[in-house]
C-alpha cells in the first residue's frame, strides 16, 4: 500500500515541473485527478490481491473512464461508461490537441484538446511508474519514465527550470526509493507467530537496523539534492546553459564566454499564433527607406530543420574597435547604396543578445561588448542585451544590375562546401522539382528568380498558419502536395531548392521593414519574418522573397527590386524601379490569422546552438566572484561562532539585575536548586563555562565527559604548564561553575570576563598556528552544532514515523491477541 501511494506521489511531484508549458492551472487539476485514479486502482488491486499482470490493464480502463467523464461525458452512457461516440469525441480532441500544440508556443492556452493530451500522457507515465515500482519491484527503474516527464519542459522551453520544481520532483523520487527500501527491509527474515499479552507490543528485532539504514539513505538523498541545487550557484558553468540558470555562463546574465541561442525554425510555427503585436523596435534611415533587419543566419540543413553553425566573435573585431569585417563576396567595383540607420529597441524586449541589422552592416555604434561573426556578420554579445538601447548602423548595400548577376562567376570552394551541403536522404522528388520549375539553360541568377516566382506566382502556394511544422516530411509535403505554409517554410524550401541547383543559400531570421508612422519606421511583433539569402560572386549575399506579401500573406514583406527584371526597348534587362511593397505610410492590410511573434518569445524559445567567443573575453572577474561566493559560504560557521561569542560576552557584562555593573542579587530563600539563566550571575557563569567548553573543542583540547570542573582545571594547568595568573583564572571559573551546580548561589562572580579572556589566550598559545586559524575560520564547535541540528531534524521525522508504527502495532495487538513478527 505504502509503495503504491509513493509511486503516485512521485508522479505528481514530477508533473509539477510541467507548469511553464501552460497558462492557468486546469491542466494540473486534471492531471492530479488521473494520478489519483491510477493510484486508487493500484490500492484496490493490492487490497483484493489481484495478480500483478491484471493491474495495468485495469488502470488503463480506469484512466479511460476518467477521461470520458472529464472530456466526453455528454457522449458517454451514464456519464462514466465509454461508448463509440465518446471514443470518437476523445479522438477528435486528441487531434485538436496535437494541432494546437504545433500552433502555440509555451505557455499554451488550456484548450480541452491540450489538457486531454496532457492528462493522457501523465496517466500513462503514472501507470508505467506503478508497474515498475510496485508490480515489478524495480523502483530505481521507475526513474526513467519520471525523467522523461521531467525533461519535457527542458526540451520545449529555454528558460531554466525552477529550482523549487526540481527539489519537489527529486523529493518525490527519493520518497519512492525510501518507500521501496522500507518495504524490502521489512521483509527480511521469515515470519513467525509470537504469543503475547494483548497490552504488550514486542519490539521487532530489525527496527533499529532498519531505522539506521533509512536514516543513512535519507541523509545521502537530501545531501545529493542540496548539492545539485547549490553547487552550480558557486561554480563557473562548464556548459552554456546550466539546468537552473545558476552561476555564470547561462546565456542570460552578464558575463561568461558563451551564450545559448535557439533554432528559430523549430519554434516559429508556435510564435506565429501569439496575439500580441507590441512594438519591438523603431528606426529612421538617412534616405527614408525601409530595410529588412536580419538577426540570425541559418546555414545548416540536416534534413529535418535549419540550424545555425557556431558563430565566433574575435576580440579584435569588437564594434567599438572600428568597422566590421568586409562582407563576404562583395567586390570593390560593385555599386552600393550607402545609408545610416538609427535603431531604438523597446525597453520591454528582454534577452536580445543578437542585434537586428540591415545587411551588410559596415559599422555599428553601440555601447557594450558586441562582436560580429566574420562569415555571417551577425553581431552578438555574451555580456550585454539590446533591450532599451539605441544604436546606429552604417551600411553599404549592394545595388547589382541584372547583367552583373548573370555574369557572376562560380562561388569559392569554401562557400560552396558550407552553403551547398544537403543531406543524402533528401527526397528525390524534391530534387526533381527544383530542376522542373527552372530552365536547364538558365544561369544561377535566372534560376533564383524562377524559384522566387514559383513560390509567389506560378506554384499555387498559399499563406496559412495551419501547418504541420517544419520537419523533413513536412518540407516534402509542403513542396509536393499541400503547398500551404508560412514564411519559415517558404524561406527554408527555397533555400533547399537553390542548393539543389548549385546556388549557395542560407535562411535569415529577423524582421521586415515595418510600417512608416510620421517618418519613423515601426517594427512590431507581426513583422518577424524569415527569408532566403543567396550568394553571387562579386555581389555577395542577396535577399530573396518567396513568401506572399500583403493581405494574402506576410503583410510587410517585399520583393527585392533586383529580382524583378523588366525588358527595355533595346532588349536588355533592367531592374524595375517600382517602389517596394509595404513602404507606404499607412498600415498594410494583412491576414487576420497572421498573428505573430515578438522577439522576446523568439529569443526564449531558441534552444541548443552555442555561440562561442574567442579568447579575450574577461571571465576572470566572474571566476573571482564565484570563488568569493564559495568563501562566503565557507565563512558561515565562523560567523555563527562570532555571533555566539558576542551574545556570551553580553551575558558576562551584566550585573545581577541584568544591567551592567549592578550589585549581586541574593538568591530566593528556600531555593532547591540553581539553574543557569535564572539570574544574571547564573547566566554569566553558564555563559563563561559554555564558552570555555567551545574553546577547548576548537583548540582540540576536548573536556572528558566524566571530568568535573575542578579536575579539568587541574589537568589543563599541569598538562599545558599554565603560569600562576592563568591557573588562578581557570580555577576561579571552575569554582564558580561548581558553586552554581551545587550551592544555593554562585556568589560574587568577580572579573569573570577578564578571567575567560586570559584562559582563552593561554589555550591559544599552547596550540599550533594552523589550529588557531581553523578555530577562527572553521570552528569545530559550530560544525558539531550544525551536524547535530541536521541529525535532530531527521531523527524527529523518524520518531514521528516510529510512533505511528508502534501505535498501529499496539492497536493490532489489542484486537488480535497475537503478533506477526519477523526475525
Amino acid at each position: 500500500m505504502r509503495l503504491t501511494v509513493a509511486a503516485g506521489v512521485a508522479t505528481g511531484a514530477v508533473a509539477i515541473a510541467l507548469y511553464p508549458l501552460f497558462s492557468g492551472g486546469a491542466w494540473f487539476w486534471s492531471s492530479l485527478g488521473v494520478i489519483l485514479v491510477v493510484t486508487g486502482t493500484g490500492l484496490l488491486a493490492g487490497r483484493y490481491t489481484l495478480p500483478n499482470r491484471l493491474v495495468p490493464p485495469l488502470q488503463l480502463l480506469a484512466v479511460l473512464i476518467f477521461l470520458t467523464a472529464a472530456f466526453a461525458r455528454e457522449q458517454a452512457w451514464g456519464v462514466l461508461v465509454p461508448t463509440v461516440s465518446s471514443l470518437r469525441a476523445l479522438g477528435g480532441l486528441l487531434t485538436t490537441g496535437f494541432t494546437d500544440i504545433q500552433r502555440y508556443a509555451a505557455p499554451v492556452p488550456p484548450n480541452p484538446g491540450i489538457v486531454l493530451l496532457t492528462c493522457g500522457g501523465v496517466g500513462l507515465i503514472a501507470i508505467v511508474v506503478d508497474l515498475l515500482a510496485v508490480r515489478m519491484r524495480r523502483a530505481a527503474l521507475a526513474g526513467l519514465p519520471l525523467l522523461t516527464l521531467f525533461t519535457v519542459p527542458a526540451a520545449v522551453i529555454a528558460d531554466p527550470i525552477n529550482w523549487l520544481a526540481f527539489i519537489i520532483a527529486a523529493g518525490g523520487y527519493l520518497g519512492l526509493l525510501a518507500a521501496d527500501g522500507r518495504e524490502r527491509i521489512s521483509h527480511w527474515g521469515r515470519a513467525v507467530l509470537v504469543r503475547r499479552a494483548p497490552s504488550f507490543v514486542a519490539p521487532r528485532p530489525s527496527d533499529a537496523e532498519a531505522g539506521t539504514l533509512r536514516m543513512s539513505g535519507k541523509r545521502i538523498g537530501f545531501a545529493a539534492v542540496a548539492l545539485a541545487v547549490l553547487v552550480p550557484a558557486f561554480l563557473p558553468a562548464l556548459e552554456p546553459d546550466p539546468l537552473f540558470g545558476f552561476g555564470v555562463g547561462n546565456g542570460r546574465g552578464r558575463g561568461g564566454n558563451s551564450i545559448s541561442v535557439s533554432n528559430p525554425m523549430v519554434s516559429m510555427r508556435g510564435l506565429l499564433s501569439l496575439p500580441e503585436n507590441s512594438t519591438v523596435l523603431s528606426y529612421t534611415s538617412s534616405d527614408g527607406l525601409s530595410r529588412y533587419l536580419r538577426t540570425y543566419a541559418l546555414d545548416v540543413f540536416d534534413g529535418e530543420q535549419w540550424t545555425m553553425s557556431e558563430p565566433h566573435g574575435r576580440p579584435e573585431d569588437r564594434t567599438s574597435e572600428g568597422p566590421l569585417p568586409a562582407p563576404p563576396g562583395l567586390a570593390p567595383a560593385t555599386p552600393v547604396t550607402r545609408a545610416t540607420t538609427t535603431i531604438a529597441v523597446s525597453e520591454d524586449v528582454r534577452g536580445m543578445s543578437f542585434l537586428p541589422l540591415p545587411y551588410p552592416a559596415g559599422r555599428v555604434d553601440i555601447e557594450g561588448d558586441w562582436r560580429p561573426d566574420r562569415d555571417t556578420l551577425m553581431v552578438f554579445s555574451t555580456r550585454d542585451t539590446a533591450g532599451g538601447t539605441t544604436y546606429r548602423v552604417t551600411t553599404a548595400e549592394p545595388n547589382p544590375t541584372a547583367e552583373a548577376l548573370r555574369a557572376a562567376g562560380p562561388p569559392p570552394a569554401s562557400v560552396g562546401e558550407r552553403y551547398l551541403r544537403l543531406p543524402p536522404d533528401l527526397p528525390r522528388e524534391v530534387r526533381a522539382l527544383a530542376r522542373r520549375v527552372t530552365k536547364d539553360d538558365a544561369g544561377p541568377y535566372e534560376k533564383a528568380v524562377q524559384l522566387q516566382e514559383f513560390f509567389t506566382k506560378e506554384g499555387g502556394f498559399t499563406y496559412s498558419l495551419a501547418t504541420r511544422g517544419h520537419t523533413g516530411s513536412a518540407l516534402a509535403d509542403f513542396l509536393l502536395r499541400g503547398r500551404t505554409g508560412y514564411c519559415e517554410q517558404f524561406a527554408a524550401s527555397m533555400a533547399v531548392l537553390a542548393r539543389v541547383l548549385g546556388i549557395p543559400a542560407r535562411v535569415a531570421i529577423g524582421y521586415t521593414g515595418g510600417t512608416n508612422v510620421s517618418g519613423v519606421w515601426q517594427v512590431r511583433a507581426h513583422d518577424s519574418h524569415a527569408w532566403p539569402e543567396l550568394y553571387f560572386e562579386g555581389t555577395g549575399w542577396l535577399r530573396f522573397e518567396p513568401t506572399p506579401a500583403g493581405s494574402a500573406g506576410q503583410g510587410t514583406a517585399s520583393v527585392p527590386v533586383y529580382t524583378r527584371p523588366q525588358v527595355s526597348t533595346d532588349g536588355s534587362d533592367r531592374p524595375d524601379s517600382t517602389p517596394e511593397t509595404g513602404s507606404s505610410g499607412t498600415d498594410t492590410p494583412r491576414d487576420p490569422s497572421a498573428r505573430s511573434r515578438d522577439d522576446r518569445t523568439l529569443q526564449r524559445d531558441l534552444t541548443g546552438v552555442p555561440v562561442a567567443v574567442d579568447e579575450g573575453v574577461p571571465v576572470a572577474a566572474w571566476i573571482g566572484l564565484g570563488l568569493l561566493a564559495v568563501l562566503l559560504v565557507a565563512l558561515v560557521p565562523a560567523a555563527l561562532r562570532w555571533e555566539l561569542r558576542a551574545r556570551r560576552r553580553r551575558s558576562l557584562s551584566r550585573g545581577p539585575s541584568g544591567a551592567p555593573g549592578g550589585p549581586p542579587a541574593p538568591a530566593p530563600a528556600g531555593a532547591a536548586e540553581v539553574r543557569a539563566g535564572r539570574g544574571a550571575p547564573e547566566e554569566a557563569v553558564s555563559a563563561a563555562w559554555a564558552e570555555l567548553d567551545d574553546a577547548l573543542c576548537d583548540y582540540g583540547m576536548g573536556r572528558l565527559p566524566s571530568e568535573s570542573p575542578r579536575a579539568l582545571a587541574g589537568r589543563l594547568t599541569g598538562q599545558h604548564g599554565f603560569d600562576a595568573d592563568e591557573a588562578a583564572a581557570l580555577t576561579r571559573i571552575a569554582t564558580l561553575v561548581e558553586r552554581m551546580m551545587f550551592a544555593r548561589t554562585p556568589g560574587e562572580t568577580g572579573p569573570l570576563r577578564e578571567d575567560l579572556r586570559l584562559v582563552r589566550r593561554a589555550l591559544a598559545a599552547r596550540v599550533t598556528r594552523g589550529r588557531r586559524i581553523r578555530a577562527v575560520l572553521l570552528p569545530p564547535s559550530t560544525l558539531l552544532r550544525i551536524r547535530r541540528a541536521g541529525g535532530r531534524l531527521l531523527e524527529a521525522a523518524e520518531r514521528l514515523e516510529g510512533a505511528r508504527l508502534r501505535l498501529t502495532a499496539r492497536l493490532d495487538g489489542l484486537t488480535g491477541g497475537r503478533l506477526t513478527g519477523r526475525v
Side-chain angles (χ1 to χ4, degrees), residues 182-312:
R182 187 178 298 113
E183 289 286 335
R184 293 178 181 275
I185 292 174
S186 65
H187 286 79
W188 287 358
R190 59 184 180 85
V192 298
L193 295 179
V194 180
R195 296 280 183 178
R196 61 168 180 81
S199 60
F200 174 73
V201 179
R204 292 168 56 179
S206 61
D207 283 348
E209 298 177 4
T212 302
L213 291 173
R214 290 195 297 268
M215 287 291 293
S216 299
K218 289 181 179 179
R219 289 192 180 105
I220 294 173
F222 285 126
V225 174
L227 290 175
V229 174
L230 296 178
V231 167
F234 306 111
L235 295 178
L238 299 179
E239 296 295 333
D241 190 8
L243 181 61
F244 304 106
F246 284 32
V248 300
N250 61 3
R252 291 172 180 82
R254 295 179 178 272
N257 62 354
S258 64
I259 58 177
S260 178
V261 299
S262 52
N263 181 352
M265 302 302 288
V266 175
S267 57
M268 206 45 118
R269 61 179 177 270
L271 303 179
L272 284 166
S273 299
L274 294 180
E276 295 84 0
N277 191 27
S278 57
T279 298
V280 178
L281 57 88
S282 59
Y283 68 92
T284 57
S285 58
S286 57
D287 55 9
L289 300 179
S290 66
R291 287 174 170 82
Y292 275 40
L293 304 177
R294 192 196 64 172
T295 306
Y296 306 101
L298 313 182
D299 61 319
V300 178
F301 180 66
D302 59 5
E304 294 290 330
Q305 59 184 352
W306 283 88
T307 55
M308 182 174 66
S309 297
E310 181 177 321
H312 294 272

Side-chain angles (χ1 to χ4, degrees), residues 46 84 87 165 290 332 337 358 406 412 455 562 581 626 777-778:
V84 175
L87 293 177
S290 66
T337 300
R406 286 196 187 94
F455 286 102
Y562 49 79
T581 304
L777 299 180
L778 292 172

